[in-house]
Amino acid sequence: MSVITHRTVKTNGIHLHIAEAGQGPLVLLLHGWPESWYSWRHQLPALAAAGYHVVAPDVRGYGQSDKPWEIEAYSMKQLLADCTGLLDALGEKTAVIVGHDWGAAMAWTSAALHPERYRAVVGMSVPHLGRAPMPPTQLFQQMFQDTWLYILYFQQPGVAEAEFEADIPKALRTIFAGPPGYDPMSPIVRAKKRSDGYLTGLDAPATLPAWLTEEDLAYFVKEFSGSGFRSGLNRYRNMDRDWHELPELATTKIHQPALFVIGEQDPGRAFAPIEPMKALVPHLREPVIVPGALHWVQQERPAEVNAALLAFLKGLPT
């Protein structure tokens, strides 16, 4: 089995911690919220064994990477510059970019705006929907009206941080393994009042699902005990800024080979449909819908996800 090694690299004026394995063409793996490089623990050795140089950073604000304080430091423009700078630091002209959750948004946007650096793209759990017709927070207020929505709850600095950091082990246990508080269609979420928090009405399960061991959870808890939640939440606070800063996403298509992977039971399927993506990503392969998986698809079903990734990678032009 390929050994995962760790180091720190400088990019875009900050330091990123990266986990890496293998040698060969570069595959960049980007995690989402609230995660870390560790979310790719099953993919790193599998892709390395197949002949790829696999790199999974702690995205800025997470784990052992730098954590700028300013909200605007987490704009999509800054995150994209981190990625291209990481390629430069690794001495690579191009890579296949793979992302999950917010990492998927980073991957899609990177492929759209820097096609010369990314020869193919894979998004997991979050499809590419281009540019919204209005700033996202306004759109969500229109769409969900009186329904509590986690994205809107996350907008006020300090509020969600205080809730999660009051008991980090319980918060992460609930987010990963409890009822999905990110599902606006859930009866639990629909019953919430505007003043409620993310964890209101959600129970932390006594027993974890098979895909997440107590040791896995302890790793995430350790990382967030060191970093806190502010930086990761600041990504949500840049959604409107991104809309203003990246108007080109309204018309730019992704022409590289592309793959979308999502869990069969991911609540996002209800309000972020796949079909509109096909016009924006003309070379999208047949989407992979992973049976039985929820949102944390590459952790929940690593064998199926690894198989999908390797089939996609092996089918790319050399």
Side-chain angles (χ1 to χ4, degrees):
M1 179 178 289
S2 299
V3 176
I4 299 173
T5 60
H6 299 263
R7 58 179 166 130
T8 298
V9 298
K10 189 171 183 179
T11 168
N12 191 29
I14 64 168
H15 294 89
L16 289 186
H17 162 255
I18 64 171
E20 62 186 326
Q23 295 181 335
L26 179 61
V27 180
L28 182 61
L29 305 175
L30 304 175
H31 68 80
W33 181 89
E35 302 179 79
S36 80
W37 77 267
Y38 191 75
S39 304
W40 301 105
R41 61 195 177 279
H42 304 296
Q43 284 69 47
L44 281 153
L47 271 58
Y52 297 93
H53 178 200
V54 196
V55 173
D58 284 334
V59 173
R60 71 158 61 198
Y62 287 89
Q64 299 168 55
S65 291
D66 283 352
K67 305 167 186 67
W69 180 256
E70 300 80 10
I71 291 175
E72 60 271 21
Y74 298 88
S75 70
M76 188 60 75
K77 288 182 76 171
Q78 291 291 347
L79 293 169
L80 265 56
D82 290 351
C83 293
T84 54
L86 178 55
L87 264 62
D88 293 340
L90 295 169
E92 297 282 0
K93 292 183 178 179
T94 63
V96 176
I97 190 166
V98 180
H100 170 258
D101 186 78
W102 267 121
M106 292 170 62
W108 294 124
T109 310
S110 292
L113 301 185
H114 298 288
E116 76 286 356
R117 304 305 302 268
Y118 302 104
R119 61 190 185 96
V121 57
V122 181
M124 297 185 189
S125 301
V126 175
H128 178 60
L129 298 177
R131 187 175 188 251
M134 63 184 73
T137 60
Q138 294 181 30
L139 179 64
F140 291 137
Q141 286 166 353
Q142 282 193 13
M143 288 175 61
F144 297 99
Q145 298 185 12
D146 293 330
T147 300
W148 186 96
L149 184 70
Y150 73 104
I151 292 172
L152 298 177
Y153 170 65
F154 287 170
Q155 294 302 312
Q156 183 61 42
V159 176
E161 289 94 322
E163 180 187 19
F164 295 141
E165 291 168 12
D167 189 338
I168 291 174
K170 181 180 178 181
L172 289 174
R173 194 179 194 92
T174 305
I175 292 167
F176 284 131
Y182 48 87
D183 179 7
M185 304 298 126
S186 156
I188 296 172
V189 173
R190 295 184 73 84
K192 288 189 182 189
K193 302 185 293 291
R194 285 289 182 89
S195 58
D196 286 340
Y198 184 99
L199 302 174
T200 302
L202 305 179
D203 294 322
T207 303
L208 294 175
W211 62 268
L212 185 70
T213 68
E214 293 290 350
E215 290 75 20
D216 294 334
L217 183 62
Y219 187 90
F220 286 115
V221 168
K222 175 177 67 70
E223 296 292 84
F224 280 91
S225 296
S227 68
F229 281 81
R230 174 187 167 91
S231 298
L233 292 166
N234 279 343
R235 174 80 284 274
Y236 292 90
R237 296 164 188 156
N238 278 280
M239 295 176 77
D240 288 352
R241 178 176 283 105
D242 297 339
W243 189 87
H244 289 289
E245 288 187 347
L246 301 173
E248 59 268 39
L249 287 177
T251 56
T252 302
K253 292 185 178 182
I254 294 172
H255 292 285
Q256 300 94 312
L259 179 68
F260 181 60
V261 179
I262 192 168
E264 178 189 29
Q265 299 175 24
D266 192 320
R269 293 184 68 193
F271 60 92
I274 299 172
E275 198 62 31
M277 180 166 54
K278 295 179 180 178
L280 297 167
V281 191
H283 300 293
L284 181 70
R285 308 290 169 84
E286 185 65 27
V288 175
I289 300 173
V290 182
L294 284 157
H295 183 68
W296 319 101
V297 63
Q298 82 272 36
Q299 297 187 70
E300 294 179 59
R301 297 290 189 274
E304 292 93 326
V305 169
N306 291 352
L309 283 173
L310 288 170
F312 176 72
L313 290 168
K314 289 173 182 176
L316 294 176
T318 53

